Amino acid sequence: MDNLLSIVTFTPAIAALILAIFLRGADEMANRNARWVALFATLLTFLISLFVLFGFEPTEEGFQFLEDREWMPGLQYKVGVDGISVMLVALAAFLMPLVIGASWGVEHRVKEFMISLLLFETFVLGALMALDLVLFFVFLEAAIVPVFLIVGIWGGAGRQATGFKALVANGLGAAVLLVAIVVMVSEAGTTDIPQLLNHVFDASDIRIAGLEVVGGLQSLLVLGLVAGFAVKLPLWPFHGWMPGIQAQAPVAGAVMLRTLMSVLAGYGVLRLAMPMFPLGAEAVAPLIYAVSGFAALFGALAAIGQDDLRRRIAYLSIAQMALVVMAVFAANQQGLDGAVFLLLSHGLVVAGLLLVAGALFDRTETTALDAFGGVSVRMPVLAAMFLLFTWGVVGIPGTGGFVALLLAITGVFQTSPIAALAACASLVMVAAAGLVMFRRVMLGDLIKESLKSLDDLSPRERLTLAPLAAAILALGLYPGFVTERIGPATGRLAANHAADLAAAEAARAAPLQSAGLSLPGPVTR
């Protein structure tokens, strides 16, 4: 079908436009109509995304379902998917109906709330499919606007201060990304992502302020892109804005921030930073390993010290996203497979944990860990869901998290055993933080009087959480569904990376060989 990707991308935006133009009033009937229109639009988007997913041919090289037309003078509207992006598109389309369902209880300015969610979905899908650098940047930065609106209007008491802090941090990250993009376009003369992937950027060593930069422009661009995306991941030391806004955001905003925005940022590192600048990525890999390894340890250790459920989940997420960056810069088949798999697993398990936290908050108006204990006595179904999601983030066998972490750490170990050791140490602390979190909320004696009247999950809440639980188990029990689709794309990335490094090594050796000299043996990270 022609224009299938555009149909997927803009179906939510069309629904948002319908709500904005035709829905009037703020009575209960108008609110109900807004909810149902949003739910129908997101379900339709997910259904259409399945046609993309199952119509995708993994063995074909390049991007598929291509659409290419002039967007404005000098800029192209070009979209397409490969094995990596097609799975992340399916993830985004799968999560958004569940976010709508979890937001069913919103009563204030419901139409505007649903419009924000629908526009967010369009921006996320557009960024994942964009094959033009400017188009990608526009969609990426536009996606953060609905999140800030949701936090600023429907968030907690401290939403203005935390929202301003987050806005400043993301604005600085966007500025860094924009500078990197301008340099890339100036160097390559195009905004076309497939052409940029084939362009050979200058990697000659340069000196800046008396310091020699190995890999030259490539290294600087890698660092600029990673720094820009690190704000949205977020990655230490750019994480300071996130835990506060996570605690203030309504459940929909929390899920949007910690799942799909993080997935977008991780995808940006995978799509742009590593494959476009192989020599620069190789040169800065030890620095990336050091920073992301520390970030993983920091996130896990900080999670242990959190006494708020949502903040603990946020730091667990930070630790996992650091592992994504490590796996990307391993630049081998296992590492890249693990990075994509971890993005998928992270999106599912963190969404599940945040929806559990939202269900508890709706009943108790708090997410302080000390306010709970023994909740499983009153809410056994929620306890079962909570346990499964905790297993997913910890990486228990049978869940998607286990497959993702196994692949990611295996890939990292092949290039840096020390970085893999740091990753394993962070996983031990993640397990401690996650399991203790579950114990403090769900196990023990039901002592607090305020908890003795809790009701278990409603039918709507079960319909929201059950698909997440099923998807987490499906990824763990049948990972081949994912690896069969992403494997050819990640394999080509890894092979191209190795070929580029070999070509550079051969070019560097040629003058010496002609003079009868030789290079020292290969250097390993």
Side-chain angles (χ1 to χ4, degrees):
M1 181 187 297
D2 293 338
N3 304 319
L4 188 59
L5 297 188
S6 291
I7 294 172
V8 173
T9 301
F10 292 106
T11 294
I14 292 171
L17 187 63
I18 291 172
L19 288 178
I21 295 175
F22 296 107
L23 189 63
R24 292 288 182 267
D27 56 13
E28 183 54 37
M29 180 175 290
N31 291 341
R32 184 170 62 250
N33 289 339
R35 296 184 187 103
W36 281 107
V37 168
L39 181 61
F40 175 78
T42 53
L43 286 172
L44 180 61
T45 302
F46 175 58
L47 178 63
I48 301 172
S49 75
L50 293 180
F51 284 95
V52 178
L53 178 62
F54 290 102
F56 180 80
E57 293 293 339
T59 56
E60 292 185 9
E61 290 194 22
F63 295 91
Q64 300 177 34
F65 300 99
L66 285 171
E67 300 176 35
D68 189 1
R69 60 182 68 90
E70 191 174 55
W71 171 31
M72 58 179 67
L75 296 176
Q76 293 297 112
Y77 172 82
K78 185 174 183 179
V79 294
V81 291
D82 65 355
I84 297 168
S85 55
V86 75
M87 292 303 308
L88 299 179
V89 165
L91 171 69
F94 173 75
L95 285 179
M96 286 310 296
L98 306 182
V99 173
I100 298 289
S103 306
W104 211 257
V106 172
E107 299 290 344
H108 173 58
R109 302 181 69 174
V110 176
K111 181 180 80 170
E112 290 81 3
F113 191 91
M114 295 302 165
I115 288 174
S116 297
L117 291 179
L118 291 168
L119 291 177
F120 174 77
E121 181 173 18
T122 284
F123 297 145
V124 168
L125 292 173
L128 290 173
M129 299 179 194
L131 294 181
D132 180 271
L133 200 55
V134 174
L135 187 66
F136 170 80
F137 179 78
V138 169
F139 275 128
L140 175 70
E141 297 307 323
I144 201 69
V145 175
V147 178
F148 285 146
L149 288 176
I150 286 177
V151 174
I153 298 174
W154 292 274
R159 61 187 182 273
Q160 284 85 7
T162 55
F164 179 75
K165 184 179 180 181
L167 186 63
V168 171
N170 279 271
L172 293 174
V176 173
L177 275 179
L178 185 58
V179 170
I181 288 172
V182 169
V183 174
M184 291 166 64
V185 174
S186 300
E187 167 78 10
T190 181
T191 61
D192 187 273
I193 289 178
Q195 292 184 34
L196 288 167
L197 288 169
N198 292 321
H199 181 79
V200 180
F201 287 87
D202 184 21
S204 303
D205 296 352
I206 58 177
R207 296 188 68 84
I208 298 179
L211 297 176
E212 184 173 6
V213 179
V214 178
L217 180 63
Q218 285 201 23
S219 296
L220 293 176
L221 287 173
V222 170
L223 292 175
L225 289 171
V226 171
F229 289 122
V231 176
K232 292 178 173 62
L233 281 166
L235 193 69
W236 179 91
F238 307 101
H239 70 286
W241 64 273
M242 190 274 298
I245 202 170
Q246 189 76 10
Q248 297 296 327
V251 63
V255 173
M256 291 156 67
L257 269 174
R258 287 312 320 132
T259 58
L260 294 180
M261 282 307 302
S262 293
V263 165
L264 266 185
Y267 172 76
V269 175
L270 177 58
R271 175 65 71 207
L272 304 181
M274 189 280 292
M276 288 188 183
F277 314 105
L279 302 181
E282 187 75 5
V284 304
L287 175 61
I288 297 295
Y289 276 157
V291 173
S292 55
F294 181 84
L297 293 168
F298 168 81
L301 186 60
I304 294 175
Q306 301 302 311
D307 289 324
D308 180 87
L309 180 57
R310 285 186 293 195
R311 292 177 72 95
R312 182 169 290 209
I313 294 168
Y315 278 105
L316 290 174
S317 172
I318 288 175
Q320 283 211 330
M321 295 313 294
L323 296 182
V324 170
V325 176
M326 294 175 69
V328 168
F329 278 85
N332 53 41
Q333 177 84 59
Q334 290 84 1
L336 295 174
D337 282 351
V340 179
F341 219 112
L342 195 51
L343 289 174
L344 294 170
S345 173
H346 172 271
L348 296 172
V349 298
V350 172
L353 287 172
L354 290 171
L355 292 180
V356 166
L360 291 170
F361 182 83
D362 288 343
R363 289 161 173 77
T364 63
E365 297 187 352
T366 183
T367 52
L369 292 176
D370 290 339
F372 300 105
V375 173
S376 61
V377 175
R378 294 291 307 171
M379 306 182 73
V381 176
L382 179 67
M385 295 287 187
F386 194 1
L387 182 60
L388 177 61
F389 299 144
T390 304
W391 282 353
V393 79
V394 169
I396 298 296
T399 66
F402 172 76
V403 180
L405 293 170
L406 180 63
L407 286 170
I409 293 177
T410 300
V412 173
F413 182 80
Q414 293 177 26
T415 57
S416 175
I418 295 176
L421 181 62
C424 291
S426 75
L427 292 183
V428 173
M429 291 187 286
V430 164
L435 296 175
V436 169
M437 173 180 69
F438 176 81
R439 179 187 62 78
R440 290 180 64 179
V441 174
M442 289 294 168
L443 302 183
D445 297 327
L446 187 64
I447 299 174
K448 297 180 176 64
E449 290 295 328
S450 60
L451 303 178
K452 293 182 179 179
S453 59
L454 291 180
D455 294 324
D456 208 348
L457 294 176
S458 66
R460 174 182 60 81
E461 289 171 323
R462 296 186 190 199
L463 284 173
T464 301
L465 289 173
L468 286 170
I472 291 167
L473 290 173
L475 285 183
L477 298 176
Y478 183 35
F481 179 82
V482 175
T483 55
E484 288 170 2
R485 285 161 175 78
I486 68 174
T490 55
R492 284 190 288 271
L493 283 181
N496 291 340
H497 184 82
D500 289 337
L501 295 182
E505 189 75 7
R508 190 162 67 95
L512 295 178
Q513 290 174 346
S514 64
L517 303 174
S518 63
L519 286 170
V523 178
T524 58
R525 308 189 223 129

